[in-house]
Amino acid sequence: MAEAALQQTATDARLASLTLPTGGWSEAARADALSRVKSMGLPHRRDEYWKYTRPDTLTQADVISAAVFDEGTPIFNDIDSLKIVFVDGVFDEAASDDLSLEGVSIERLATSLADIHWARDLYGVLETRGQTPVQRPLATLNTAFATDGVLLHVTGKVSKPINLQYQHKSECSDAFLHHVIRVDAGAEVTLLEAGPAAARFNKVMEVDIADTGVFHHVRAQGRDHERRAATHIFARLGQESTFKSFTLTKNGVMTRNECVIELTGDDAIAHVAGACVGDGDFHHDDTVFITHDAVNCESRQVFKKVLRNGATGVFQGKILVKPGAQKTDGYQISQSLLLDDDSQFLAKPELEIYADDVACSHGSTSGAIDETALFYLRSRGVPQDQATDLLTLAFLAEAVDEIEDEELRTEIVDRLSGWLERHRN
Amino acid sequence: MLSIKNLSVKLEEEDKQILKGVDLEIEAGKVHAIMGPNGSGKSTLSYVLSGKDGYEVTDGSAYLEGEDVLEMEPEERAAAGLFLAFQYPVEIPGVGNMTFLRTAVNAQRKARGEEEMSAADFLKAIRAKAKELKVDADMLKRPVNVGFSGGEKKRNEILQMAMLEPKMCILDETDSGLDVDAMKLVAEGVNALRSEGRGFLVITHYQRLLDHIKPDVVHIMADGKIVKTGGPDLALEVEHNGYAGILSEVA
């Protein structure tokens, strides 16, 4: 009783601290989300789904300040792309490119106020679908209160990536961004996300991929150490469609990245991968839920974490194979490299299978640097620090290699090398 | 070149003396071979010289051109010119062979205060040397030793040796796991590196490697000590009489 009352009080306080945007096509979805989040309540520390990650700093009404960190040139800045800049969750028109690009219509959530809009069929819809069997109240909170985001309707093969560049410039910013992406049949787009969106941010992305559509997503969550993040991706895949998402996380005292994928058309492919590196006061949680609800689909989850000086990594990954989803090929691997005895990795891999002709595998490991390999490298003249970095990058490679584009992959590896060089004994 | 005096070593973890006073003097330009039965301490000698963890030097010394080897980190020993060709080369998934070699070459150069090798020069050098050792382009691209056959691994060791140009080469049972053709290829690679300024210590069980890499001096090691030293004929004697014959003779 006491716990439920506390949760109610915390949820009420959080809701009271926010203002519900009104008007336009999203109004009904927001009202619905508000009532849903009221009845669910925000996550609390006794929630099974939050067993390894304390939700309090992500849910509390008071904003926690995070020192502003200037990381220099943002990642992906030199990649030929269409840049859309948000500063502390607020669109920066002057810093952004013109929002026009062949093969995609680009709008902003905050300014698309028509009563009828294609995004109405998706906004909060995929998020709602993702609430069963496990509730994700922070995403629902976002649907109700998101102040901005991009609405991408992809109709053709888009020639260059769309690059969402986030900047954190105010110490006490608290941002809600909600992106909606619809990829039409045969269309293809790459979405990049770079940087921390605010001192604390809650980000939702809903992606609906029609038959044979292709969606690539590569994001880097910045080097900003004190920021806190709760992000959700909800993706629905049609027949023969492809969804590939990779996330790089360096630093961050609190990160919860959830990815909820539904394979609804036959022969679809979903890959989700992540590499994270944390030093000291670092908590990183990857929570993935993939539902196979069609025949002959492939899903891959590849998550690698490098942890040191008491850093904590969490992985909760599930593959659900529904009845009839035969010929499913599901793969899941989560691994941590613990660079000292103080760091910890908590993993909960799950398979739930209701079809009899499937191949699903999962593995999870925690380990230290391979001393034999380290000695081999040193015996060839590679100094210990450099040899450790080489082996660490090798450990992360399986996740990084999930990125198809070589230029993007190289940027990610460069950033990881830089981080490792800065974080040595 | 390499001067080892009364080297005595025990395992760190257990109180077990492995080397019991090894004396060895290897001159530049010479090839010394150490032969001996299993468990005589041959491999331990190579590990201790290259700086592997887990051993405690209880007495004695090892100097490479006047520098105290035992005081150095493994990478410093490498930069000073010491090279160990491993009996069991290590597989390193995720690290490309070429990246590994270039990192090693340049790390050594940097440690010695020399200019780093440019990517173009490195590529040119490695292509030429790889060709001589029949190391194909695919082996250079693949992760270090991953999926290599026994022979490929050993050839890769010799390729590293050729690229790093050490002063003192230690070959730890380089013939193990090799068929006759592979052994010939490896031996040719080693012979090509023989020069006036370079010393070799070839550790082996069998005489047959020494048919291809002709030693100047042969030592027999048993129970942690050098028990007999002679010319190339000594290796033939081992082949004919076995270690038992020689050991009973010196006992």
Side-chain angles (χ1 to χ4, degrees), chain A residues 77-93:
Chain A
N77 199 60
D78 301 331
I79 298 224
D80 182 25
S81 63
L82 184 136
K83 236 168 273 172
I84 303 175
V85 181
F86 291 93
V87 179
D88 293 303
V90 178
F91 178 63
D92 183 341
E93 188 168 10

Side-chain angles (χ1 to χ4, degrees), chain B residues 8 109 141 147 178 202 214 223 231 235 237:
Chain B
S8 307
R109 286 181 170 231
K141 266 191 237 154
L178 294 188
V202 180
K214 298 243 184 308
D223 192 25
E237 203 184 318

Side-chain angles (χ1 to χ4, degrees), chain A residues 217-221 233 243-249 257 259 261 270-276 284 286 288 290 299-305 315 331 333-334 396-404 412:
Chain A
H217 175 230
V218 180
R219 74 175 156 178
Q221 296 181 300
I233 296 171
F243 168 93
K244 291 189 179 181
S245 173
F246 172 88
T247 301
L248 168 70
T249 310
N257 290 331
C259 187
I261 300 171
H271 291 187
V272 48
C276 87
H284 187 278
D286 281 303
V288 181
I290 297 183
S299 72
R300 275 173 74 81
Q301 303 172 44
V302 182
F303 289 89
K304 302 267 188 163
K305 298 181 198 292
F315 174 79
Y331 174 77
I333 183 92
S334 64
L396 293 167
E398 191 189 353
V400 177
D401 286 348
E402 291 289 317
I403 304 169
E404 276 185 21
I412 296 286

Side-chain angles (χ1 to χ4, degrees), chain B residues 95-228:
Chain B
V95 178
N97 208 12
M98 194 93 108
T99 309
F100 158 62
L101 259 170
R102 196 166 157 227
T103 308
V105 166
N106 282 332
Q108 289 202 14
R109 286 181 170 231
K110 202 173 155 194
R112 290 194 293 259
E114 298 164 14
E115 208 176 309
E116 291 192 5
M117 208 169 184
S118 74
D121 288 348
F122 176 82
L123 208 61
K124 211 171 137 189
I126 197 162
R127 279 199 182 132
K129 289 183 168 143
K131 199 175 166 196
E132 283 169 27
L133 286 159
K134 296 207 169 78
V135 169
D136 60 30
D138 185 49
M139 273 172 70
L140 292 176
K141 266 191 237 154
R142 265 151 53 190
V144 180
N145 292 325
V146 176
F148 286 25
S149 70
E152 286 174 334
K153 282 181 181 169
K154 296 297 169 79
R155 262 145 56 203
N156 201 31
E157 293 291 288
I158 306 305
L159 175 64
Q160 293 168 38
M161 197 161 93
M163 288 301 295
L164 294 167
E165 300 180 328
K167 291 175 189 160
M168 180 67 222
C169 307
I170 304 170
L171 281 73
D172 187 11
E173 307 212 10
T174 293
D175 51 338
S176 71
L178 294 188
D179 61 37
V180 181
D181 295 333
M183 187 164 66
K184 258 180 101 172
L185 197 61
V186 165
E188 277 165 19
V190 173
N191 287 332
L193 290 168
R194 289 179 76 155
S195 75
E196 275 181 22
R198 189 170 285 147
F200 283 87
L201 179 61
V202 180
I203 296 171
T204 180
H205 276 296
Y206 302 108
Q207 187 264 339
R208 47 172 206 178
L209 179 66
L210 304 179
D211 283 343
H212 302 289
I213 306 174
K214 298 243 184 308
D216 299 295
V217 184
V218 175
H219 309 274
I220 306 294
M221 192 166 185
D223 192 25
K225 274 188 280 199
I226 304 286
V227 294
K228 192 168 183 181

Side-chain angles (χ1 to χ4, degrees), chain A residues 88-258:
Chain A
D88 293 303
V90 178
F91 178 63
D92 183 341
E93 188 168 10
S96 302
D97 290 333
D98 183 22
L99 302 186
S100 73
L101 188 61
E102 203 178 319
V104 57
S105 104
I106 306 171
E107 287 171 87
R108 282 174 46 225
L109 175 62
T111 50
S112 67
L113 294 168
D115 286 335
I116 297 172
H117 194 278
W118 63 264
R120 200 172 63 172
D121 296 338
L122 296 174
Y123 188 89
V125 172
L126 299 187
E127 175 259 300
T128 304
R129 290 178 71 96
Q131 297 294 339
T132 34
V134 193
Q135 293 187 335
R136 306 167 201 280
L138 282 169
T140 313
L141 183 74
N142 180 298
T143 299
F145 293 98
T147 51
D148 210 346
V150 293
L151 310 173
L152 305 178
H153 182 186
V154 187
T155 51
K157 287 197 183 351
V158 182
S159 62
K160 59 183 179 184
I162 293 166
N163 185 356
L164 305 181
Q165 212 172 73
Y166 306 117
Q167 291 170 14
H168 165 211
K169 287 188 176 171
S170 155
E171 240 175 58
C172 293
S173 52
D174 192 18
F176 284 85
L177 290 171
H178 196 121
H179 308 307
V180 181
I181 297 137
R182 182 164 125 192
V183 182
D184 283 353
E188 183 169 349
V189 72
T190 297
L191 182 71
L192 308 176
E193 293 186 274
R200 176 171 73 177
F201 59 94
N202 178 328
K203 209 144 52 69
V204 167
M205 183 163 88
E206 293 174 288
V207 190
D208 193 34
I209 311 172
D211 298 352
T212 70
V214 177
F215 179 72
H216 287 283
H217 175 230
V218 180
R219 74 175 156 178
Q221 296 181 300
R223 260 171 70 192
D224 194 308
H225 190 61
E226 294 180 10
R227 62 105 186 112
R228 288 161 199 275
T231 77
H232 291 79
I233 296 171
F234 296 94
R236 180 169 63 186
L237 278 74
Q239 203 171 314
E240 287 176 52
S241 67
T242 303
F243 168 93
K244 291 189 179 181
S245 173
F246 172 88
T247 301
L248 168 70
T249 310
K250 296 173 296 173
N251 310 335
V253 284
M254 174 57 64
T255 308
R256 165 93 160 199
N257 290 331
E258 294 195 29

